[in-house]
Structures are given as C-alpha cells and as structure tokens.
Amino acid sequence: MPDAKEQFKRYERTDPVPEARAAGLNTVQPGDKSVFASLQPEPAEQKTKPEHYKFSDALKFEPGRIQVHPGQFGAKLGPEGAPYGRKNECRSEASMVHEMLNPDPQSRFQDAMEKDKCKLFHSSIREPMGKSYNHGLYVPQYAKEPDYRFGCFSDTNSWGTKELVCPPPNPEEGNPEHKRMYTLSHVAEQRKRNYQWDYDPTTFVFGKKGDRSVGGVENALKGDAAKEVRSATVIQKTVTDFKAFNQDHLGKVKHTGAGLHGMPAEHSFGVTTVKAASEWGTKECIEGNRTLDEQMPDPDLGRSLQPGWRNLATSNRAFGVPNVRTDRALPRIRSVADHQNYGDEPDAKDLLYPSKHAWKGVVEDDFFQPRTFDDIFSVVACAGFDFTREQAEDVYRVAANGHPEGLVSIESFRYAMLDTDHAFPIRDS
C-alpha cells in the first residue's frame, strides 16, 4: 500500500495550478486525515523518561559500558585513593587493616597478661588451651590419685581372660535338673510332671474304646478305589465318562481326550526316521547333493550373453567416463552449475603446496594468458626491471614471432628476455 503522505506531496508537486481548487471529489488526503489513519492511527512513540533510563535494557547491551547497580547509576566516584566506608574517630593512627590482620608478636609477659585478663571468660574456663574439655563434673579427691581404678574389686572369681574367652568344660554337664530347667524355658517339647500313673503314659490313649475300622483316612482319600467290593448302584455310562473326563483324579493325570484311542501301549507317535535311499535327510538339506556341473558358476556371471551387449575390447580400452575430461574442450564461459574438471583445476600437490603468488590472488594460469604490450610492460616495470620502452618492444617482438598467432604472455615474454643478449638488471627499491 503506498504511503499517503508521500502520495500527497507528489500530487502537490505535479499540480499545474496549485492555487485553484480541483474539480470533483479529492481522493488524495494527507496521511493524518485518510480513512486508514483514522481507523488505525499510528501508536504513540514510546520514550523512556530520564529518571527511568537507569532501569532500561539499553545499558546492559551497550558496548564499553561498565555494569553498575541502578542505585549507583550516575553517582560520582570519589578522588583516586580515597578510602570507602565511615570514618572511625576513636581509632588510633596505627590501627590500620594490615596491623589488625598481622599484629606484632607478643612476648611471654604480654601472653601472661592476656591470659590473666581472659581467665574469667566462660570459654576459657570450659575449654582451656591445651587441656581437655571441662564438663563441670565433681570428682572426689581419692579418685584423683594416680593408682585409683574405677570398678569393684572381686576376689571370689579367680578366672583370667583365657578362662573367660575359652571356659573349661563344666563338670556338672548332663545334670537332669539342668536339662529340666532348660526344657521349661527353651525347648518346645511335652512337659513331664512326674505323675504316678497306674499305666504307661507313653502308650496309653485317653477316650472311649470302641470298634473302629482300620484305614479310615486312607479309604476317605481314595474313595471308591479303596473299596474291595464296589457298589451295586447302576448309573449311566455317560455320567461315568463325564466324571472321568471332567474331574481330577488323585495320583493320576487328568483325561484331556488325547489318549491312545485303542492303540497298543508300545505305539509311538511321529514319523519314522528310517527313510528310503531317494529321500533327503538333515545332511542333504545342509550340504545338498548337487553335481560338479551344477556347482560351477553361471555362464552369464560377470558378462553378457546377449549379442551386441558384450564388453569385449581387443585393445587396452578403459570403459566409463574419466574424472578429468580432457576429451572435451574447455568452454569459453563456464557455468556455475558445471562441475566437470577439464584439467584446469589444481591437484592435491597445488592445494598442499600452493605457489608463492597465491596469497596475492595470482594463479599460474595468469602467467600464460595472452596480453597486450602495455599490460606486459606495466607488469615487468612494476617488478623492478630496468629497461626502456624500446628494449621492451624488441623483446615483445621476439616473443610474438615464437607463437603461430603472434600472442604473447608474461611467461613467453620472460623467456624472450632470457634469450636476448642484453642483461636487464633490477632496480633498487
């Protein structure tokens, strides 16, 4: 969208009669009176107040400015060497920071006086220098004797350390009273109260004696299989088959319907391993049984059998496209999309060891480009050779005669200078 202000100025410059009012409705309005400016006015310019400038981000990114706290912004520094802080009127002249951090060594008398001043301090009483911590415990005077030992002396025990670590065997071991006491407190066994029974308590059983069947628990667990005589109750065979198939049997595998189905017990499932002579086995599947002719490589391996497509050359011909396209002529104007190497690009040696003129942007091809006499004369003169223009024309003529088309380069001009009988010294710089 064009700028309304610029459009209005351009209209005022092109109006041939600016003092006469134009006929019709004027659609060109100043920028501040246009519909666009009325609907979308320009935002007010944001300006930072001077008192708020110290809080702005412009100070953080301005190069060369020392970052200071906003409270110190604009504050004037004191004179060079002036100390900071509040002056202490009570300090002496010699109480400098260095003297306070590194005081002079005191004598023994001064140390004794200092200890006498500090002897009433709580820290000096509880933690004296060079002594153990005083917990304030009262110790009797007899306990302070050097020969005093804590504990109670016993003369009834004559055992030493050896007997305490490895005590001798107890002569009373096996005493029944000791076993009874140990059983009451530790062993979970039946207690014997030493009652006087009229019968043997180890074999006597309390309760009413009656007729009981032997093997009742066994018969209850085995069910009908434990009975010698089966029940004469007649039921349907489908019910019996359903119970045999659906219910679990004690000590047997549950029937899943995958039985032998009337097959003999020695029947084996699966395919027999005995095979015929013409059948394959594991060895044949791994090694195979191909003949020697079948194991030979295919006749079209690495070559084409189709006529007209065989890569047969009678000479030492190399197939493919070379990396350096010397078979093509270098185009006069080379495209930026042309990635071919026409032999004019430097090799690895030139990249590792460039010429001495490469730092000036001069390559070796510049010395072989055809140039005019004025260009060659200016280059040779700037190089410092001391000869006149007439001598340069003679050398240029000799170099042009050596080329079929009469073209002369800086390299051919240099060889022509070397072939002449005149010596061209170099001027002192």
Side-chain angles (χ1 to χ4, degrees):
M1 182 177 181
D3 190 3
K5 294 182 180 180
E6 185 67 25
Q7 189 177 4
F8 183 76
K9 292 179 181 180
R10 189 180 306 169
Y11 172 76
E12 289 182 342
R13 290 197 304 267
T14 57
D15 190 4
V17 188
E19 62 274 5
R21 181 179 179 182
L25 181 61
N26 187 8
T27 58
V28 180
Q29 299 291 337
D32 54 347
K33 296 181 181 180
S34 62
V35 179
F36 178 78
S38 300
L39 296 178
Q40 296 184 4
E42 296 182 359
E45 184 179 359
Q46 297 181 1
K47 295 183 180 180
T48 304
K49 297 182 179 180
E51 59 271 15
H52 297 161
Y53 182 70
K54 58 184 178 181
F55 301 104
S56 63
D57 294 338
L59 295 177
K60 298 181 181 179
F61 306 104
E62 183 178 353
R65 177 181 290 276
I66 301 176
Q67 301 295 327
V68 296
H69 191 269
Q72 297 292 333
F73 180 77
K76 296 182 180 180
L77 301 178
E80 185 178 359
Y84 289 88
R86 188 181 64 179
K87 184 177 180 181
N88 187 7
E89 302 295 343
C90 299
R91 73 177 182 87
S92 60
E93 297 296 335
S95 59
M96 298 296 179
V97 178
H98 177 74
E99 285 77 6
M100 297 179 67
L101 296 179
N102 300 298
D104 296 335
Q106 297 182 357
S107 61
R108 294 184 178 180
F109 178 75
Q110 292 176 343
D111 291 341
M113 294 294 294
E114 187 69 21
K115 290 181 180 180
D116 186 66
K117 293 179 182 179
C118 300
K119 66 181 180 179
L120 299 179
F121 292 163
H122 184 267
S123 60
S124 300
I125 297 174
R126 297 292 301 272
E127 301 176 2
M129 185 69 69
K131 298 181 180 179
S132 61
Y133 183 81
N134 184 10
H135 296 273
L137 302 176
Y138 172 74
V139 180
Q141 186 64 30
Y142 63 86
K144 298 181 181 180
E145 298 295 334
D147 299 335
Y148 179 77
R149 298 291 182 272
F150 290 92
C152 182
F153 179 77
S154 176
D155 54 352
T156 60
N157 190 358
S158 59
W159 284 13
T161 305
K162 177 181 178 181
E163 288 77 8
L164 291 176
V165 176
C166 300
N170 188 5
E172 298 183 0
E173 187 175 0
N175 191 351
E177 182 64 18
H178 294 173
K179 185 177 184 303
R180 184 189 66 82
M181 295 173 62
Y182 182 76
T183 303
L184 292 176
S185 58
H186 294 81
V187 181
E189 66 181 24
Q190 185 180 6
R191 297 182 181 181
K192 296 180 180 179
R193 294 177 174 85
N194 298 324
Y195 293 157
Q196 298 296 329
W197 301 97
D198 295 337
Y199 38 79
D200 189 4
T202 58
T203 59
F204 181 78
V205 179
F206 291 91
K208 183 180 179 181
K209 183 177 181 182
D211 296 335
R212 60 187 180 92
S213 60
V214 180
V217 178
E218 180 183 1
N219 297 333
L221 295 176
K222 291 184 178 181
D224 295 340
K227 296 181 179 180
E228 298 179 358
V229 180
R230 295 184 177 273
S231 175
T233 305
V234 178
I235 59 176
Q236 295 183 1
K237 187 177 183 301
T238 55
V239 178
T240 307
D241 295 342
F242 176 76
K243 290 183 178 181
F245 179 80
N246 188 48
Q247 296 180 359
D248 296 328
H249 302 275
L250 183 63
K252 295 181 180 181
V253 181
K254 183 178 180 180
H255 296 288
T256 58
L260 298 178
H261 301 286
M263 296 182 181
E266 61 273 5
H267 178 76
S268 300
F269 292 91
V271 181
T272 178
T273 57
V274 180
K275 60 183 180 63
S278 60
E279 296 181 358
W280 276 35
T282 306
K283 179 181 179 182
E284 289 77 6
C285 293
I286 297 176
E287 298 180 356
N289 59 353
R290 295 183 299 172
T291 61
L292 182 61
D293 295 338
E294 293 177 349
Q295 298 179 16
M296 296 301 293
D298 297 336
D300 58 347
L301 181 63
R303 58 182 179 176
S304 177
L305 300 179
Q306 185 177 359
W309 294 85
R310 301 176 183 177
N311 299 329
L312 299 178
T314 56
S315 60
N316 296 330
R317 177 184 174 186
F319 294 90
V321 180
N323 295 332
V324 180
R325 300 304 301 271
T326 55
D327 56 330
R328 283 188 170 186
L330 180 66
R332 186 174 61 88
I333 300 177
R334 188 170 181 178
S335 174
V336 294
D338 189 1
H339 62 279
Q340 296 290 344
N341 184 3
Y342 297 95
D344 57 337
E345 296 183 3
D347 52 4
K349 178 181 178 182
D350 296 336
L351 295 176
L352 296 176
Y353 305 100
S355 63
K356 59 183 179 181
H357 306 289
W359 67 277
K360 295 183 179 180
V362 180
V363 297
E364 293 185 359
D365 292 344
D366 295 338
F367 293 96
F368 296 94
Q369 295 293 333
R371 303 182 185 276
T372 61
F373 171 75
D374 295 335
D375 294 342
I376 296 177
F377 180 73
S378 62
V379 171
V380 177
C382 293
F385 288 95
D386 188 8
F387 57 91
T388 61
R389 188 177 183 85
E390 289 78 10
Q391 293 176 348
E393 291 178 354
D394 296 339
V395 176
Y396 185 85
R397 192 179 304 106
V398 173
N401 294 333
H403 194 271
E405 299 180 3
L407 301 178
V408 181
S409 63
I410 296 178
E411 189 68 16
S412 62
F413 186 86
R414 188 175 67 86
Y415 276 103
M417 288 175 57
L418 298 177
D419 291 340
T420 57
D421 297 334
H422 299 282
F424 302 101
I426 299 178
R427 297 189 302 270
D428 295 335
S429 57

